[in-house]
Amino acid sequence: MSVQEYLDKHMLSRKIEDAVNAAVRAKTPDPVLFISSHMKKAVPSVITKVKARQILDSRGIPTVEVDLFTNKGMFRASVPSGDSTGMYEAVELRDGDKGTYLGNAVTKAVKNINEKISEALVGMDPTVQLQIDQAMIDLDKTEKKSELGANAILAVSIAACKAGAAEKEDITILPTGASRFDEALQMGSETYHHLKAVIAEKYGTNGCNVGEDGGFTPNISSVREGLDIVKEAIGRTGYNDRIKIGMDVAATDFCIGTKYDLEFKSPNKSGQNFKSGEDMIQMYKELCSEYPIASIEDPFDKEDWEHSKRFCSLGLCQVVGDDLLMSNPKRMERAMHDSACNCLLLKVGSDKSDWNSDRSY
């Protein structure tokens, strides 16, 4: 294959030209870094590797843990296991050797992931959850998933769900008007189910697929579109002003040089939707005036201290630092000194724990 044939096959000439044009428009002082970052973000995420192992759960019983790799990161999940299983439920695959973990080892399920499931999923888009799950179902022809093991399939499905969620934006609701925890829980649950109905009406049932932590991942085209459907769901509950909205912008993911590419997830980029830090501040001001936004997480790149500080000083909402702080004491000290955020994300557990969670303070 000639160089030109290779370029044509992968459409590299067009992609490189788009990256160079974007660098010129952004007036970046470091075009090589800009173009490299642009090209990396322009590549669609695909599953590159699936690797499983046996671990022990919180009750000391073997279970399956999976690391699912994409060209943009690694995503880990492990399978919980209940004390009882109904006769019609899909079955876990365990080794049955009473001499090892009393027959509860899962090395067969692990082998199925590493040799069969991995081969079937490599190259797939992690955001197409239904297709990923269907590929594993098709691989195991049994009714109760006894060939591959429900534990093998579920572990991979959860890891893929996390990988897919990493490609989506995250909007949350905050039941700030609740006077008790049980009331807040009820408000959140009712809004969640109303949101599911709104999404099903607008995008069909496929739009109700969930990502990490159970959040819906409809195919929205803009942040306002996402906020509109959440606002409509809140309106249907009747809680209205008692529920606020929180946004995890994760701006580092679409910051290129000193500009923010708001079309970084769009397959049909116009190359015209770059925003400066000042533009982003103006956009957040408009969003906060149009929607009941009470919290924005990482509104700017992790190194964009100046705009984080300026936005936080406006007092429009809670400004959460996650990527900005990275649980690093020195960065936290700087953020406190500069007033670059007024809230931090405290990660209580480690990535290897089934109890990993984020808490904002």
Short mmCIF file of all heavy atoms in Angstrom, two decimals, residues 211-240:
data_model
loop_
_atom_site.label_atom_id
_atom_site.label_comp_id
_atom_site.label_asym_id
_atom_site.label_seq_id
_atom_site.Cartn_x
_atom_site.Cartn_y
_atom_site.Cartn_z
N GLY A 211 -25.62 5.02 32.10
CA GLY A 211 -24.18 5.00 32.20
C GLY A 211 -23.76 4.76 33.63
O GLY A 211 -24.51 4.21 34.44
N GLU A 212 -22.56 5.15 33.98
CA GLU A 212 -22.04 4.96 35.32
C GLU A 212 -22.94 5.63 36.35
O GLU A 212 -23.46 6.72 36.13
CB GLU A 212 -20.63 5.55 35.41
CG GLU A 212 -19.91 5.23 36.69
CD GLU A 212 -18.47 5.71 36.66
OE1 GLU A 212 -18.07 6.28 35.64
OE2 GLU A 212 -17.77 5.51 37.65
N ASP A 213 -23.18 4.94 37.48
CA ASP A 213 -24.02 5.44 38.56
C ASP A 213 -25.49 5.53 38.18
O ASP A 213 -26.28 6.19 38.85
CB ASP A 213 -23.55 6.81 39.07
CG ASP A 213 -22.15 6.76 39.63
OD1 ASP A 213 -21.80 5.72 40.21
OD2 ASP A 213 -21.41 7.75 39.49
N GLY A 214 -25.89 4.88 37.09
CA GLY A 214 -27.30 4.83 36.74
C GLY A 214 -27.83 6.04 36.03
O GLY A 214 -29.04 6.21 35.93
N GLY A 215 -26.97 6.91 35.52
CA GLY A 215 -27.42 8.11 34.81
C GLY A 215 -27.81 7.79 33.38
O GLY A 215 -27.18 6.96 32.72
N PHE A 216 -28.88 8.41 32.88
CA PHE A 216 -29.31 8.18 31.51
C PHE A 216 -28.34 8.83 30.52
O PHE A 216 -27.72 9.85 30.83
CB PHE A 216 -30.71 8.76 31.29
CG PHE A 216 -31.78 8.07 32.09
CD1 PHE A 216 -32.48 8.74 33.06
CD2 PHE A 216 -32.06 6.73 31.88
CE1 PHE A 216 -33.46 8.11 33.81
CE2 PHE A 216 -33.03 6.07 32.62
CZ PHE A 216 -33.74 6.76 33.59
N THR A 217 -28.23 8.22 29.33
CA THR A 217 -27.29 8.73 28.33
C THR A 217 -27.97 8.89 26.97
O THR A 217 -27.62 8.23 26.00
CB THR A 217 -26.09 7.78 28.18
OG1 THR A 217 -26.58 6.46 27.82
CG2 THR A 217 -25.29 7.69 29.46
N PRO A 218 -28.98 9.78 26.88
CA PRO A 218 -29.62 10.02 25.58
C PRO A 218 -28.67 10.74 24.62
O PRO A 218 -27.72 11.40 25.06
CB PRO A 218 -30.81 10.91 25.93
CG PRO A 218 -30.37 11.65 27.16
CD PRO A 218 -29.54 10.65 27.93
N ASN A 219 -28.94 10.63 23.36
CA ASN A 219 -28.07 11.22 22.33
C ASN A 219 -28.43 12.70 22.14
O ASN A 219 -29.02 13.09 21.15
CB ASN A 219 -28.22 10.46 21.02
CG ASN A 219 -27.22 10.95 19.98
OD1 ASN A 219 -26.16 11.46 20.31
ND2 ASN A 219 -27.59 10.81 18.72
N ILE A 220 -28.04 13.53 23.10
CA ILE A 220 -28.33 14.96 23.01
C ILE A 220 -27.25 15.67 22.22
O ILE A 220 -26.11 15.21 22.15
CB ILE A 220 -28.47 15.59 24.41
CG1 ILE A 220 -27.17 15.41 25.21
CG2 ILE A 220 -29.63 14.98 25.17
CD1 ILE A 220 -27.18 16.10 26.56
N SER A 221 -27.60 16.79 21.63
CA SER A 221 -26.66 17.51 20.76
C SER A 221 -26.06 18.74 21.42
O SER A 221 -25.15 19.35 20.87
CB SER A 221 -27.36 17.92 19.46
OG SER A 221 -28.46 18.76 19.73
N SER A 222 -26.59 19.16 22.57
CA SER A 222 -26.07 20.35 23.22
C SER A 222 -26.37 20.30 24.71
O SER A 222 -27.25 19.55 25.15
CB SER A 222 -26.69 21.63 22.63
OG SER A 222 -28.07 21.71 22.98
N VAL A 223 -25.64 21.09 25.48
CA VAL A 223 -25.87 21.11 26.92
C VAL A 223 -27.26 21.65 27.23
O VAL A 223 -27.93 21.18 28.17
CB VAL A 223 -24.78 21.94 27.63
CG1 VAL A 223 -24.83 23.40 27.22
CG2 VAL A 223 -24.92 21.82 29.14
N ARG A 224 -27.72 22.60 26.46
CA ARG A 224 -29.07 23.14 26.70
C ARG A 224 -30.15 22.09 26.47
O ARG A 224 -31.16 22.05 27.17
CB ARG A 224 -29.32 24.37 25.82
CG ARG A 224 -28.75 25.67 26.39
CD ARG A 224 -29.15 26.87 25.54
NE ARG A 224 -28.87 28.12 26.22
CZ ARG A 224 -27.67 28.70 26.27
NH1 ARG A 224 -26.65 28.10 25.67
NH2 ARG A 224 -27.50 29.84 26.91
N GLU A 225 -29.93 21.23 25.49
CA GLU A 225 -30.90 20.17 25.24
C GLU A 225 -30.98 19.24 26.44
O GLU A 225 -32.07 18.82 26.85
CB GLU A 225 -30.49 19.39 23.98
CG GLU A 225 -31.51 18.34 23.57
CD GLU A 225 -31.09 17.61 22.29
OE1 GLU A 225 -30.08 18.02 21.68
OE2 GLU A 225 -31.78 16.65 21.92
N GLY A 226 -29.82 18.92 27.02
CA GLY A 226 -29.81 18.08 28.21
C GLY A 226 -30.47 18.75 29.39
O GLY A 226 -31.25 18.13 30.14
N LEU A 227 -30.18 20.02 29.58
CA LEU A 227 -30.78 20.77 30.69
C LEU A 227 -32.29 20.90 30.51
O LEU A 227 -33.05 20.87 31.50
CB LEU A 227 -30.13 22.15 30.79
CG LEU A 227 -28.68 22.16 31.27
CD1 LEU A 227 -28.06 23.54 31.07
CD2 LEU A 227 -28.60 21.77 32.74
N ASP A 228 -32.73 21.04 29.28
CA ASP A 228 -34.16 21.19 29.02
C ASP A 228 -34.94 19.94 29.44
O ASP A 228 -36.02 20.03 30.04
CB ASP A 228 -34.42 21.48 27.54
CG ASP A 228 -34.11 22.92 27.16
OD1 ASP A 228 -34.12 23.78 28.06
OD2 ASP A 228 -33.85 23.18 25.97
N ILE A 229 -34.40 18.76 29.13
CA ILE A 229 -35.14 17.55 29.47
C ILE A 229 -35.12 17.30 30.98
O ILE A 229 -36.09 16.80 31.55
CB ILE A 229 -34.63 16.31 28.70
CG1 ILE A 229 -33.15 16.03 28.99
CG2 ILE A 229 -34.87 16.47 27.21
CD1 ILE A 229 -32.65 14.76 28.31
N VAL A 230 -34.02 17.67 31.65
CA VAL A 230 -33.98 17.55 33.11
C VAL A 230 -34.95 18.53 33.75
O VAL A 230 -35.69 18.18 34.69
CB VAL A 230 -32.55 17.79 33.64
CG1 VAL A 230 -32.54 17.85 35.17
CG2 VAL A 230 -31.61 16.69 33.16
N LYS A 231 -35.00 19.75 33.22
CA LYS A 231 -35.91 20.76 33.74
C LYS A 231 -37.36 20.32 33.56
O LYS A 231 -38.21 20.52 34.45
CB LYS A 231 -35.67 22.09 33.03
CG LYS A 231 -36.45 23.26 33.60
CD LYS A 231 -36.08 24.55 32.88
CE LYS A 231 -36.86 25.75 33.43
NZ LYS A 231 -36.48 27.01 32.73
N GLU A 232 -37.67 19.70 32.41
CA GLU A 232 -39.03 19.21 32.18
C GLU A 232 -39.39 18.10 33.16
O GLU A 232 -40.51 18.05 33.67
CB GLU A 232 -39.16 18.70 30.75
CG GLU A 232 -40.57 18.21 30.42
CD GLU A 232 -40.74 17.82 28.95
OE1 GLU A 232 -39.88 18.20 28.13
OE2 GLU A 232 -41.74 17.14 28.65
N ALA A 233 -38.43 17.22 33.43
CA ALA A 233 -38.69 16.13 34.39
C ALA A 233 -38.96 16.69 35.78
O ALA A 233 -39.87 16.22 36.48
CB ALA A 233 -37.51 15.17 34.42
N ILE A 234 -38.18 17.69 36.18
CA ILE A 234 -38.40 18.32 37.49
C ILE A 234 -39.79 18.95 37.53
O ILE A 234 -40.51 18.84 38.53
CB ILE A 234 -37.31 19.37 37.77
CG1 ILE A 234 -35.95 18.70 37.93
CG2 ILE A 234 -37.66 20.18 39.03
CD1 ILE A 234 -34.79 19.67 38.03
N GLY A 235 -40.18 19.60 36.43
CA GLY A 235 -41.50 20.22 36.37
C GLY A 235 -42.62 19.21 36.53
O GLY A 235 -43.64 19.49 37.16
N ARG A 236 -42.44 18.02 35.98
CA ARG A 236 -43.48 16.99 36.07
C ARG A 236 -43.66 16.48 37.50
O ARG A 236 -44.73 15.98 37.86
CB ARG A 236 -43.16 15.83 35.14
CG ARG A 236 -43.27 16.17 33.66
CD ARG A 236 -43.18 14.93 32.79
NE ARG A 236 -43.19 15.26 31.37
CZ ARG A 236 -43.26 14.36 30.40
NH1 ARG A 236 -43.35 13.07 30.71
NH2 ARG A 236 -43.27 14.73 29.14
N THR A 237 -42.61 16.56 38.30
CA THR A 237 -42.72 16.09 39.69
C THR A 237 -43.52 17.06 40.54
O THR A 237 -44.06 16.68 41.58
CB THR A 237 -41.34 15.92 40.34
OG1 THR A 237 -40.71 17.21 40.48
CG2 THR A 237 -40.44 15.01 39.53
N GLY A 238 -43.54 18.33 40.14
CA GLY A 238 -44.21 19.35 40.93
C GLY A 238 -43.32 19.96 42.00
O GLY A 238 -43.74 20.86 42.73
N TYR A 239 -42.06 19.51 42.09
CA TYR A 239 -41.16 20.03 43.11
C TYR A 239 -40.56 21.38 42.70
O TYR A 239 -40.23 22.21 43.53
CB TYR A 239 -40.03 19.03 43.40
CG TYR A 239 -40.52 17.76 44.06
CD1 TYR A 239 -40.28 16.52 43.48
CD2 TYR A 239 -41.22 17.81 45.25
CE1 TYR A 239 -40.71 15.34 44.07
CE2 TYR A 239 -41.67 16.63 45.85
CZ TYR A 239 -41.42 15.41 45.26
OH TYR A 239 -41.86 14.25 45.84
N ASN A 240 -40.38 21.58 41.41
CA ASN A 240 -39.94 22.86 40.84
C ASN A 240 -38.76 23.47 41.61
O ASN A 240 -37.66 22.94 41.56
CB ASN A 240 -41.12 23.82 40.75
CG ASN A 240 -42.19 23.29 39.81
OD1 ASN A 240 -41.88 22.76 38.75
ND2 ASN A 240 -43.45 23.40 40.21
#
